[in-house]
């Protein structure tokens, strides 16, 4: 390496993280990311993926992906605005709009890209963004790119949001004011207080932006958190991913036709990054077909979530205040959390520790993501391991 300053920076910071137990070792999967996974030749019950409906390994979607790949090739060949828009991209966007009950939709290469593009396409340095304190990193980065003033409000605290919205509006400093929140907060599994948020937005003329990455395919019979509350016509930006419940990769904004027309000429990742692969677009279309045909997968997901929560709570674990299938086990201390997760993995349960900076210091947790693809036998296997390792480390009695 040529730069001594870089090497010094890396040495210092890597050693610091490792000594504090905050360095994340990346595990490698030998096969699909299904309800069970294989790591270093060993099969584990998988409670760490966002593949809520089990669609990542859905046979119909695999077939659709292969067929589209044969027809269109492996890559889209250009950005959407040059000639990388294939008819299946348009079909996908129509499906999304139908599913979300909006006039139109625009697809991006990822949920992260979506936030990196959509916020700054509308907001600028004369504006302000009211942002929930626990919003996802891509919202924070997307907001920064807009150069609007970022005003954080306490997590899900609607009194604080109202006070800050009032102050921002009455200051006369800003042209547009936007409020942004996750639909489902993935670290605790709690849901945005959308009816109150929408009321405050109406009172102070706020643009509403709900990132429902963890709510789409899960809440509102699959259509998401906004649909769950029956507020589809009150939210300006409905963001979702194609990479979590949908099981593939990509992100989208669903909204009015005018908004989507504008994003198609101004959202930078749409203009300057190659479009979704044909196979991904086709697989996503098939996922929406599957979800439209039946509620079976969504129901199974919730049933598994309820069962896992009930069993872990009965064992004495602190599972927080989740309102969705996401089931955290809050341990607190970062090192103990990592030790707990390592022991679970050793005993055959892949449930990953999540520590600072992803969650606040002192709230380290092992987060469990049950899915529609888990069988009761798999969940029981996981619960038995939780009981054993929890007692061994003195986390439960
Ligand atoms: C996961 C997530 C994203 C990023 O989505 P990808 O499709 O994985 O890039 C964006 N926003 C929220 C709230 C998320 O949870």
């Amino acid at each position: 390496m040529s730069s001594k300053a870089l090497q010094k920076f890396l040495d210092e910071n890597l050693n610091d993280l490792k000594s504090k137990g905050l360095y994340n070792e990346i595990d490698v999967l030998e096969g699909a990311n299904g309800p069970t996974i294989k790591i270093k030749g060993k099969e584990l019950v998988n409670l760490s993926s966002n593949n809520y409906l089990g669609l990542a390994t859905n046979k119909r979607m695999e077939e659709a992906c292969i067929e589209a790949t044969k027809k269109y090739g492996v890559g889209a060949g250009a950005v959407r605005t040059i000639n990388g828009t294939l008819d299946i991209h348009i079909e996908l966007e129509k499906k999304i709009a139908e599913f979300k009950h909006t006039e139109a939709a625009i697809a991006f290469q990822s949920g992260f890209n979506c936030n990196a593009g959509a916020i700054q396409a509308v907001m600028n340095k004369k504006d302000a963004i009211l942002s929930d304190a626990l919003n996802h990193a891509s919202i924070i980065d997307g907001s920064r790119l807009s150069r609007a003033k970022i005003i954080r409000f306490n997590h899900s605290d609607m009194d604080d949001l109202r006070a800050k919205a009032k102050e921002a509006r009455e200051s006369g400093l800003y042209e547009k004011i936007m409020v942004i929140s996750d639909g489902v907060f993935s670290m605790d599994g709690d849901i945005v207080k959308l009816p109150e948020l929408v009321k405050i937005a109406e009172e102070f003329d706020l643009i509403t932006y709900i990132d429902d990455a963890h709510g789409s395919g899960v809440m509102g019979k699959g259509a998401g958190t906004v649909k769950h509350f029956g507020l589809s016509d009150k939210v300006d930006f409905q963001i979702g991913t194609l990479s979590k419940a949908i099981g593939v990769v990509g992100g989208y904004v669903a909204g009015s036709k005018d908004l989507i027309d504008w994003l198609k000429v101004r959202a930078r990742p749409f203009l300057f990054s190659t479009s979704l692969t044909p196979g991904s677009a086709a697989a996503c279309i098939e996922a929406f077909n599957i979800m439209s045909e039946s509620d079976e997968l969504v129901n199974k997901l919730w049933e598994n979530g309820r069962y896992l929560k009930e069993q872990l709570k009965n064992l004495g674990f602190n599972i927080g205040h989740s309102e969705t299938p996401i089931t955290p086990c809050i341990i607190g201390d970062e090192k103990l959390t990592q030790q707990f997760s390592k022991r679970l993995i050793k005993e055959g349960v892949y449930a990953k520790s999540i520590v600072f900076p992803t969650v606040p210091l002192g709230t380290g947790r092992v987060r469990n993501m049950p899915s529609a693809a888990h069988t009761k036998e798999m969940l029981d296997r996981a619960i038995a391991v939780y009981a054993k390792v929890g007692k061994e480390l003195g986390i439960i009695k």
Side-chain angles (χ1 to χ4, degrees):
M1 198 178 287
S2 57
S3 166
K4 285 194 185 95
L6 174 60
Q7 193 58 57
K8 181 166 176 283
F9 168 85
L10 294 175
D11 285 343
E12 283 175 10
N13 287 286
L14 282 171
N15 290 337
D16 181 53
L17 280 184
K18 284 175 185 167
S19 72
K20 289 182 182 150
L22 297 177
Y23 188 79
N24 180 33
E25 304 281 353
I26 296 173
D27 297 313
V28 179
L29 272 59
E30 294 142 9
N33 198 340
T36 63
I37 50 177
K38 203 165 155 198
I39 295 173
K40 292 181 183 150
K42 195 175 155 174
E43 197 203 67
L44 303 125
V45 178
N46 175 18
L47 288 173
S48 282
S49 93
N50 301 316
N51 179 24
Y52 289 109
L53 300 178
L55 295 178
T57 52
N58 181 275
K59 294 297 162 215
R60 275 171 64 182
M61 288 164 61
E62 285 175 16
E63 285 306 317
C65 176
I66 291 163
E67 246 173 63
T69 304
K70 284 184 179 155
K71 178 171 175 189
Y72 298 91
V74 290
V79 305
R80 287 287 300 271
T81 49
I82 307 285
N83 68 354
T85 293
L86 309 173
D87 51 12
I88 44 173
H89 290 125
I90 302 299
E91 192 187 333
L92 172 62
E93 288 168 341
K94 279 201 182 124
K95 283 265 175 217
I96 295 169
E98 256 172 49
F99 199 70
K100 304 300 278 190
H101 305 272
T102 57
E103 284 176 14
I106 174 175
F108 288 85
Q109 307 86 346
S110 74
F112 199 108
N113 260 359
C114 194
N115 286 327
I119 302 169
Q120 64 162 330
V122 170
M123 304 302 280
N124 61 54
K125 61 174 184 278
K126 294 179 190 154
D127 301 327
I129 295 172
L130 295 155
S131 184
D132 187 285
L134 294 190
N135 273 346
H136 189 259
S138 59
I139 297 175
I140 296 168
D141 289 5
S143 299
R144 283 183 186 145
L145 286 170
S146 78
R147 292 189 286 168
K149 168 80 178 171
I150 298 168
I151 304 166
R152 269 165 46 123
F153 60 93
N154 297 331
H155 174 55
S156 272
D157 181 342
M158 292 298 116
D159 292 334
D160 195 39
L161 171 61
R162 164 182 289 278
K164 283 173 177 158
K166 186 167 192 284
E167 192 186 333
R169 187 49 85 202
E170 287 175 358
S171 73
L173 291 171
Y174 311 111
E175 287 182 358
K176 299 191 287 309
I177 306 176
M178 177 183 268
V179 54
I180 309 187
S181 176
D182 280 24
V184 171
F185 290 87
S186 61
M187 295 307 147
D188 291 291
D190 53 324
I191 304 169
V192 63
K193 297 194 171 89
L194 196 61
E196 290 96 322
L197 184 145
V198 161
K199 227 170 128 206
I200 295 165
E202 284 182 336
E203 192 175 338
F204 299 101
D205 188 27
L206 311 179
I207 301 167
T208 45
Y209 189 110
I210 301 296
D211 181 346
D212 209 19
H214 285 272
S216 299
V218 177
M219 299 289 295
K221 291 193 191 304
T225 305
V226 174
K227 182 74 196 326
H228 166 78
F229 286 110
L231 293 167
S232 300
D233 56 338
K234 303 278 186 191
V235 172
D236 297 305
F237 290 74
Q238 286 194 57
I239 314 303
T241 66
L242 300 167
S243 21
K244 288 175 179 151
I246 305 300
V248 190
V249 71
Y252 59 85
V253 183
S256 72
K257 181 174 180 305
D258 286 344
L259 172 65
I260 302 309
D261 283 349
W262 178 248
L263 294 178
K264 285 187 169 177
V265 293
R266 280 294 180 278
R268 293 167 69 83
F270 191 84
L271 275 69
F272 299 109
S273 180
T274 299
S275 38
L276 279 173
T277 64
S280 301
C284 291
I285 291 169
E286 197 58 21
F288 285 104
N289 290 340
I290 291 167
M291 289 194 298
S292 308
E293 284 164 22
S294 150
D295 294 340
E296 191 190 323
L297 292 175
V298 182
N299 293 340
K300 181 76 181 155
L301 164 67
W302 281 84
E303 190 187 312
N304 281 344
R306 273 192 294 271
Y307 182 69
L308 183 67
K309 272 188 196 161
E310 192 183 282
Q311 298 296 316
L312 291 180
K313 198 173 168 190
N314 288 347
L315 285 173
F317 286 103
N318 171 10
I319 59 164
H321 52 273
S322 172
E323 303 168 78
T324 60
I326 295 171
T327 307
C329 260
I330 300 164
I331 311 285
D333 179 74
E334 282 71 29
K335 275 194 169 161
L336 181 59
T337 306
Q338 288 185 327
Q339 193 190 354
F340 185 56
S341 166
K342 278 191 186 136
R343 284 289 299 127
L344 290 174
I345 292 172
K346 203 142 196 206
E347 296 291 330
V349 177
Y350 196 87
K352 198 76 177 158
S353 61
I354 298 183
V355 296
F356 179 81
T358 310
V359 292
L361 266 176
T363 70
R365 69 204 54 198
V366 172
R367 188 185 51 169
N368 301 287
M369 313 289 268
S371 79
H374 288 100
T375 61
K376 184 149 179 297
E377 182 276 323
M378 291 172 193
L379 295 178
D380 284 338
R381 215 189 318 160
I383 291 155
V385 170
Y386 258 90
K388 177 180 171 191
V389 177
K391 282 175 196 154
E392 176 193 307
L393 295 183
I395 294 163
I396 54 167
K397 288 197 198 90

XYZ file of all heavy atoms in Angstrom, residues 314-390:
588
model
N -42.239 -16.743 26.602
C -42.462 -17.719 27.678
C -41.158 -18.205 28.293
O -41.111 -18.524 29.474
C -43.249 -18.932 27.159
C -44.709 -18.588 26.897
O -45.176 -17.528 27.322
N -45.409 -19.456 26.180
N -40.110 -18.261 27.490
C -38.811 -18.684 28.023
C -38.185 -17.594 28.894
O -37.237 -17.854 29.617
C -37.848 -19.023 26.871
C -38.076 -20.342 26.136
C -37.151 -20.443 24.925
C -37.857 -21.531 27.068
N -38.704 -16.374 28.791
C -38.175 -15.294 29.633
C -37.307 -14.289 28.899
O -36.687 -13.427 29.533
N -37.261 -14.366 27.583
C -36.470 -13.382 26.829
C -37.218 -12.056 26.730
O -38.450 -12.029 26.711
C -36.181 -13.903 25.412
C -35.146 -14.988 25.383
C -35.515 -16.322 25.225
C -33.789 -14.679 25.509
C -34.563 -17.324 25.208
C -32.837 -15.679 25.487
C -33.224 -17.008 25.339
N -36.439 -10.972 26.650
C -37.015 -9.646 26.417
C -37.161 -9.462 24.906
O -36.175 -9.243 24.206
C -36.080 -8.573 27.002
C -36.503 -7.162 26.609
O -37.585 -6.952 26.047
N -35.636 -6.206 26.902
N -38.399 -9.569 24.417
C -38.605 -9.466 22.965
C -39.088 -8.077 22.547
O -39.564 -7.884 21.421
C -39.562 -10.564 22.423
C -40.926 -10.469 23.109
C -38.964 -11.946 22.597
C -42.018 -11.240 22.386
N -38.960 -7.108 23.448
C -39.267 -5.727 23.079
C -40.747 -5.524 22.805
O -41.591 -6.185 23.421
N -41.057 -4.643 21.872
C -42.462 -4.266 21.646
C -42.823 -4.354 20.160
O -43.464 -3.475 19.605
C -42.702 -2.866 22.191
C -41.701 -1.867 21.679
N -40.486 -1.645 22.297
C -41.711 -1.049 20.609
C -39.813 -0.736 21.610
N -40.527 -0.363 20.583
N -42.395 -5.443 19.520
C -42.651 -5.611 18.087
C -44.147 -5.746 17.794
O -44.878 -6.387 18.539
C -41.916 -6.855 17.585
O -42.291 -7.129 16.251
N -44.583 -5.133 16.692
C -45.977 -5.271 16.252
C -46.057 -6.071 14.961
O -47.098 -6.122 14.313
C -46.584 -3.880 15.999
C -46.533 -2.944 17.193
C -46.870 -1.509 16.791
O -48.054 -1.220 16.612
O -45.931 -0.699 16.643
N -44.945 -6.638 14.539
C -44.851 -7.359 13.262
C -44.153 -8.710 13.522
O -43.755 -8.979 14.659
C -43.990 -6.549 12.268
O -42.687 -6.403 12.841
C -44.588 -5.176 11.991
N -43.971 -9.539 12.507
C -43.280 -10.812 12.752
C -41.810 -10.658 13.223
O -41.244 -11.588 13.807
C -43.345 -11.512 11.391
C -44.575 -10.955 10.747
C -44.600 -9.514 11.162
N -41.207 -9.501 13.005
C -39.819 -9.279 13.463
C -39.769 -9.492 14.980
O -40.561 -8.915 15.713
C -39.368 -7.840 13.129
C -39.320 -7.636 11.616
C -38.028 -7.521 13.784
C -39.094 -6.189 11.188
N -38.851 -10.343 15.421
C -38.778 -10.689 16.842
C -37.378 -10.463 17.395
O -36.511 -11.324 17.282
C -39.183 -12.168 17.057
O -40.456 -12.382 16.439
C -39.263 -12.518 18.526
N -37.140 -9.296 18.005
C -35.824 -9.096 18.602
C -35.728 -9.802 19.957
O -36.727 -9.979 20.627
C -35.757 -7.570 18.781
C -37.163 -7.124 18.876
C -38.019 -8.123 18.136
N -34.514 -10.225 20.319
C -34.220 -10.675 21.685
C -33.206 -9.681 22.202
O -32.030 -9.724 21.802
C -33.598 -12.064 21.662
S -34.755 -13.337 22.024
N -33.644 -8.781 23.064
C -32.766 -7.699 23.479
C -31.908 -8.159 24.654
O -32.411 -8.594 25.686
C -33.584 -6.438 23.813
C -34.351 -6.011 22.549
C -32.676 -5.310 24.302
C -35.468 -5.036 22.766
N -30.580 -8.102 24.443
C -29.623 -8.587 25.441
C -28.992 -7.388 26.164
O -28.780 -7.425 27.359
C -28.495 -9.424 24.766
C -29.066 -10.479 23.803
C -27.555 -10.020 25.797
C -29.681 -11.686 24.392
N -28.687 -6.331 25.420
C -28.076 -5.135 26.022
C -26.612 -5.011 25.666
O -26.255 -4.428 24.646
N -25.761 -5.619 26.515
C -24.311 -5.531 26.338
C -23.873 -6.086 24.970
O -24.278 -7.182 24.580
C -23.638 -6.324 27.462
C -22.127 -6.302 27.346
O -21.534 -5.255 27.644
O -21.547 -7.337 26.916
N -23.016 -5.342 24.275
C -22.622 -5.715 22.908
C -21.861 -7.041 22.861
O -22.118 -7.889 22.001
C -21.752 -4.628 22.276
C -22.510 -3.416 21.767
C -23.083 -2.527 22.865
O -22.486 -2.479 23.965
O -24.130 -1.903 22.628
N -20.911 -7.201 23.805
C -20.092 -8.425 23.752
C -20.926 -9.655 24.080
O -20.783 -10.699 23.447
C -18.893 -8.303 24.701
C -17.716 -7.598 24.042
C -16.447 -7.780 24.829
C -15.253 -7.299 24.002
N -14.092 -7.045 24.856
N -21.798 -9.529 25.081
C -22.661 -10.658 25.447
C -23.602 -10.995 24.283
O -23.848 -12.160 23.985
C -23.461 -10.329 26.715
C -24.386 -11.438 27.230
C -23.609 -12.710 27.563
C -25.186 -10.980 28.455
N -24.083 -9.956 23.612
C -24.976 -10.170 22.469
C -24.262 -10.974 21.390
O -24.814 -11.938 20.845
C -25.428 -8.813 21.882
O -25.996 -8.029 22.924
C -26.455 -9.004 20.792
N -23.018 -10.591 21.118
C -22.274 -11.299 20.070
C -21.940 -12.727 20.483
O -21.980 -13.644 19.669
C -21.021 -10.511 19.705
C -21.410 -9.249 18.917
C -20.217 -8.467 18.417
O -19.180 -8.442 19.076
N -20.354 -7.833 17.279
N -21.641 -12.872 21.774
C -21.332 -14.208 22.289
C -22.574 -15.104 22.176
O -22.483 -16.264 21.762
C -20.912 -14.055 23.757
C -20.259 -15.287 24.348
C -20.106 -15.151 25.862
O -20.388 -14.105 26.462
N -19.649 -16.224 26.488
N -23.714 -14.547 22.529
C -24.983 -15.281 22.462
C -25.257 -15.736 21.022
O -25.548 -16.900 20.769
C -26.110 -14.373 22.976
C -27.451 -15.049 23.061
C -27.623 -16.214 23.798
C -28.560 -14.514 22.419
C -28.856 -16.831 23.884
C -29.806 -15.128 22.503
C -29.954 -16.289 23.231
N -25.113 -14.808 20.088
C -25.357 -15.133 18.688
C -24.398 -16.227 18.198
O -24.805 -17.157 17.501
C -25.211 -13.866 17.848
O -25.125 -14.201 16.491
N -23.136 -16.120 18.599
C -22.144 -17.138 18.178
C -22.499 -18.519 18.708
O -22.349 -19.527 18.018
C -20.746 -16.735 18.650
C -20.110 -15.735 17.699
C -18.630 -15.521 17.996
C -18.094 -14.412 17.099
N -17.247 -13.462 17.806
N -22.976 -18.558 19.955
C -23.368 -19.849 20.539
C -24.605 -20.412 19.826
O -24.693 -21.610 19.587
C -23.653 -19.690 22.051
C -22.409 -19.571 22.919
C -21.641 -20.896 23.022
N -22.429 -21.960 23.623
C -22.619 -23.163 23.085
N -22.059 -23.467 21.924
N -23.359 -24.070 23.706
N -25.556 -19.539 19.495
C -26.750 -19.998 18.758
C -26.338 -20.629 17.437
O -26.806 -21.703 17.070
C -27.706 -18.826 18.473
C -28.466 -18.200 19.641
C -29.241 -16.972 19.154
C -29.434 -19.194 20.273
N -25.430 -19.956 16.750
C -24.987 -20.444 15.443
C -24.304 -21.800 15.606
O -24.559 -22.742 14.860
C -24.073 -19.399 14.756
C -24.919 -18.154 14.385
C -23.402 -19.993 13.513
C -24.141 -16.963 13.883
N -23.473 -21.905 16.629
C -22.786 -23.165 16.896
C -23.780 -24.303 17.150
O -23.549 -25.451 16.781
C -21.875 -22.994 18.119
C -20.774 -23.989 18.123
C -19.480 -23.442 18.615
C -18.430 -24.445 18.178
N -17.276 -24.469 18.952
N -24.901 -23.970 17.756
C -25.922 -24.978 18.080
C -26.938 -25.174 16.940
O -27.911 -25.896 17.105
C -26.663 -24.586 19.362
C -25.791 -24.562 20.608
C -25.324 -25.946 21.039
O -26.056 -26.930 20.793
O -24.217 -26.051 21.596
N -26.750 -24.450 15.818
C -27.607 -24.723 14.653
C -28.698 -23.705 14.365
O -29.621 -23.983 13.596
N -28.602 -22.503 14.971
C -29.599 -21.460 14.689
C -28.884 -20.195 14.226
O -28.093 -19.611 14.976
C -30.431 -21.121 15.945
C -31.408 -19.987 15.644
C -31.190 -22.350 16.415
N -29.172 -19.797 13.007
C -28.531 -18.582 12.513
C -29.396 -17.377 12.843
O -30.372 -17.070 12.151
C -28.281 -18.659 11.010
C -27.294 -17.609 10.571
C -25.928 -17.861 10.602
C -27.721 -16.352 10.182
C -25.017 -16.887 10.249
C -26.815 -15.365 9.830
C -25.467 -15.653 9.868
O -24.569 -14.674 9.526
N -29.077 -16.717 13.955
C -29.766 -15.488 14.360
C -28.656 -14.504 14.696
O -27.873 -14.711 15.610
C -30.655 -15.742 15.562
N -28.603 -13.462 13.931
C -27.439 -12.588 13.946
C -27.563 -11.505 15.010
O -28.641 -10.976 15.260
C -27.360 -11.950 12.556
C -26.029 -11.342 12.201
C -24.977 -12.343 11.849
C -23.710 -11.594 11.432
N -22.515 -12.379 11.561
N -26.420 -11.175 15.598
C -26.422 -10.081 16.565
C -26.438 -8.750 15.825
O -25.855 -8.613 14.756
C -25.172 -10.165 17.436
O -24.019 -10.049 16.641
N -27.138 -7.806 16.386
C -27.160 -6.463 15.829
C -26.790 -5.501 16.955
O -27.443 -5.463 17.995
C -28.548 -6.124 15.245
C -28.830 -7.102 14.098
C -28.585 -4.685 14.752
C -30.114 -6.865 13.374
N -25.684 -4.804 16.730
C -25.161 -3.935 17.791
C -24.883 -2.547 17.222
O -25.027 -2.320 16.018
C -23.851 -4.524 18.390
C -24.122 -5.851 19.075
C -22.761 -4.677 17.339
N -24.492 -1.630 18.102
C -24.090 -0.296 17.700
C -23.091 -0.381 16.543
O -22.231 -1.244 16.570
C -23.423 0.386 18.908
C -22.932 1.772 18.622
C -23.806 2.840 18.637
C -21.587 1.999 18.331
C -23.354 4.123 18.364
C -21.137 3.277 18.058
C -22.024 4.337 18.076
N -23.163 0.427 15.471
C -24.013 1.615 15.334
C -25.381 1.358 14.671
O -26.110 2.315 14.446
C -23.166 2.514 14.434
C -22.442 1.561 13.538
C -22.209 0.311 14.344
N -25.706 0.090 14.375
C -27.011 -0.175 13.754
C -28.141 0.116 14.747
O -29.217 0.556 14.361
C -27.072 -1.634 13.252
O -25.900 -1.888 12.488
C -28.273 -1.880 12.373
N -27.906 -0.191 16.023
C -28.868 0.173 17.078
C -28.100 0.962 18.143
O -26.865 0.907 18.184
C -29.535 -1.084 17.712
C -30.444 -1.780 16.712
C -28.487 -2.045 18.272
N -28.798 1.719 19.017
C -28.082 2.520 20.029
C -27.205 1.656 20.951
O -27.520 0.480 21.185
C -29.216 3.183 20.830
C -30.400 3.175 19.911
C -30.254 1.951 19.065
N -26.124 2.237 21.471
C -25.240 1.541 22.417
C -26.056 1.018 23.600
O -26.971 1.682 24.068
C -24.171 2.509 22.939
C -22.818 2.539 22.213
C -21.920 3.615 22.812
C -22.113 1.191 22.245
N -25.704 -0.187 24.055
C -26.389 -0.748 25.226
C -27.708 -1.417 24.911
O -28.408 -1.857 25.816
N -28.077 -1.494 23.626
C -29.326 -2.178 23.257
C -29.059 -3.306 22.257
O -29.899 -3.607 21.412
C -30.389 -1.218 22.667
O -29.935 -0.792 21.362
C -30.626 -0.003 23.536
N -27.878 -3.917 22.368
C -27.521 -5.033 21.489
C -28.598 -6.112 21.534
O -29.221 -6.330 22.569
N -28.827 -6.733 20.402
C -29.893 -7.723 20.330
C -29.581 -8.792 19.300
O -28.768 -8.601 18.402
C -31.198 -7.036 19.930
C -31.166 -6.543 18.485
C -32.112 -5.429 18.249
N -31.915 -4.322 19.186
C -32.834 -3.392 19.414
N -33.967 -3.435 18.796
N -32.588 -2.427 20.255
N -30.243 -9.924 19.464
C -30.256 -10.924 18.408
C -31.627 -10.781 17.777
O -32.641 -10.809 18.464
C -30.044 -12.331 18.984
C -30.253 -13.372 17.913
C -28.647 -12.449 19.575
N -31.644 -10.549 16.474
C -32.929 -10.298 15.836
C -33.372 -11.502 15.022
O -32.609 -12.048 14.233
C -32.847 -9.069 14.933
C -34.220 -8.676 14.404
C -34.124 -7.548 13.436
N -33.142 -7.825 12.413
C -33.002 -7.104 11.314
N -33.747 -6.041 11.127
N -32.104 -7.419 10.416
N -34.601 -11.904 15.227
C -35.143 -13.074 14.531
C -36.160 -12.644 13.490
O -37.057 -11.873 13.777
C -35.843 -13.989 15.543
C -34.884 -14.442 16.614
O -34.006 -15.266 16.375
N -35.018 -13.863 17.802
N -35.976 -13.173 12.295
C -36.892 -12.886 11.200
C -37.542 -14.194 10.766
O -37.032 -14.882 9.881
C -36.129 -12.284 10.019
C -35.175 -11.167 10.388
S -36.016 -9.657 10.880
C -36.105 -8.818 9.322
N -38.673 -14.547 11.379
C -39.363 -15.738 10.901
C -39.937 -15.454 9.507
O -40.122 -14.291 9.145
C -40.488 -15.927 11.926
C -40.700 -14.585 12.537
C -39.376 -13.859 12.466
N -40.203 -16.497 8.757
C -40.747 -16.316 7.404
C -41.851 -17.332 7.155
O -42.051 -18.257 7.952
C -39.643 -16.511 6.361
O -39.421 -17.902 6.160
N -42.540 -17.138 6.030
C -43.602 -18.077 5.646
C -43.032 -19.451 5.305
O -43.749 -20.448 5.301
C -44.373 -17.525 4.453
N -41.736 -19.488 5.031
C -41.129 -20.751 4.590
C -40.697 -21.649 5.751
O -40.358 -22.810 5.544
C -39.924 -20.459 3.695
N -40.695 -21.111 6.974
C -40.302 -21.952 8.114
C -41.410 -22.937 8.472
O -42.586 -22.576 8.506
C -40.001 -21.083 9.348
C -38.730 -20.315 9.235
N -38.685 -18.984 8.878
C -37.440 -20.694 9.407
C -37.431 -18.580 8.843
N -36.651 -19.594 9.148
N -41.017 -24.161 8.765
C -41.978 -25.144 9.273
C -41.973 -25.052 10.799
O -41.045 -24.494 11.398
C -41.585 -26.571 8.873
O -40.293 -26.857 9.462
C -41.471 -26.726 7.360
N -43.008 -25.600 11.412
C -43.076 -25.582 12.878
C -41.889 -26.352 13.454
O -41.315 -25.948 14.476
C -44.396 -26.197 13.337
C -44.600 -26.138 14.826
C -46.074 -26.033 15.181
C -46.259 -26.010 16.696
N -45.788 -27.257 17.349
N -41.509 -27.401 12.789
C -40.366 -28.198 13.258
C -39.094 -27.345 13.292
O -38.306 -27.419 14.241
C -40.207 -29.433 12.340
C -39.086 -30.392 12.732
C -37.708 -29.990 12.192
O -37.627 -29.485 11.055
O -36.713 -30.168 12.938
N -38.883 -26.527 12.267
C -37.692 -25.650 12.238
C -37.747 -24.648 13.394
O -36.751 -24.407 14.067
C -37.625 -24.868 10.924
C -37.324 -25.707 9.702
S -37.518 -24.643 8.226
C -37.513 -25.873 6.937
N -38.927 -24.050 13.608
C -39.060 -23.062 14.683
C -38.843 -23.726 16.046
O -38.161 -23.173 16.914
C -40.428 -22.378 14.620
C -40.681 -21.515 13.375
C -42.084 -20.921 13.401
C -39.647 -20.394 13.244
N -39.398 -24.933 16.225
C -39.208 -25.640 17.502
C -37.744 -25.966 17.749
O -37.261 -25.879 18.879
C -40.061 -26.919 17.534
C -41.534 -26.622 17.782
O -41.842 -25.535 18.333
O -42.387 -27.454 17.411
N -37.053 -26.317 16.681
C -35.622 -26.592 16.802
C -34.908 -25.326 17.294
O -34.077 -25.363 18.195
C -35.082 -26.994 15.416
C -34.003 -28.039 15.507
C -33.281 -28.329 14.205
N -34.056 -28.418 12.977
C -33.515 -28.274 11.757
N -32.213 -28.031 11.630
N -34.243 -28.379 10.671
N -35.263 -24.194 16.705
C -34.629 -22.925 17.084
C -34.949 -22.565 18.534
O -34.061 -22.153 19.297
C -35.098 -21.817 16.149
N -36.196 -22.759 18.929
C -36.629 -22.391 20.284
C -35.890 -23.238 21.339
O -35.467 -22.725 22.375
C -38.168 -22.536 20.393
C -38.837 -21.438 19.540
C -38.639 -22.443 21.834
C -40.235 -21.776 19.062
N -35.704 -24.507 21.042
C -34.976 -25.383 21.969
C -33.542 -24.901 22.151
O -32.993 -24.914 23.267
C -35.006 -26.820 21.458
N -32.924 -24.454 21.076
C -31.549 -23.948 21.155
C -31.512 -22.636 21.953
O -30.618 -22.424 22.775
C -30.948 -23.770 19.737
C -29.624 -23.029 19.796
C -30.777 -25.130 19.060
N -32.501 -21.790 21.725
C -32.586 -20.543 22.498
C -32.648 -20.836 23.997
O -31.985 -20.184 24.799
C -33.825 -19.746 22.092
C -33.519 -18.595 21.182
C -33.521 -18.758 19.809
C -33.203 -17.343 21.699
C -33.231 -17.705 18.963
C -32.906 -16.286 20.867
C -32.931 -16.458 19.499
O -32.631 -15.414 18.678
N -33.459 -21.833 24.366
C -33.611 -22.181 25.785
C -32.262 -22.634 26.347
O -31.820 -22.166 27.401
C -34.653 -23.276 25.932
N -31.597 -23.494 25.624
C -30.327 -24.061 26.095
C -29.257 -22.978 26.251
O -28.639 -22.854 27.312
C -29.870 -25.132 25.092
C -28.536 -25.753 25.420
C -28.120 -26.803 24.412
C -26.674 -27.219 24.687
N -26.134 -28.041 23.607
N -29.058 -22.196 25.177
C -27.977 -21.202 25.188
C -28.312 -20.029 26.120
O -27.435 -19.492 26.798
C -27.676 -20.710 23.747
C -26.618 -19.628 23.748
C -27.245 -21.885 22.873
N -29.585 -19.679 26.186
C -30.013 -18.600 27.085
C -29.689 -18.918 28.529
O -29.211 -18.055 29.274
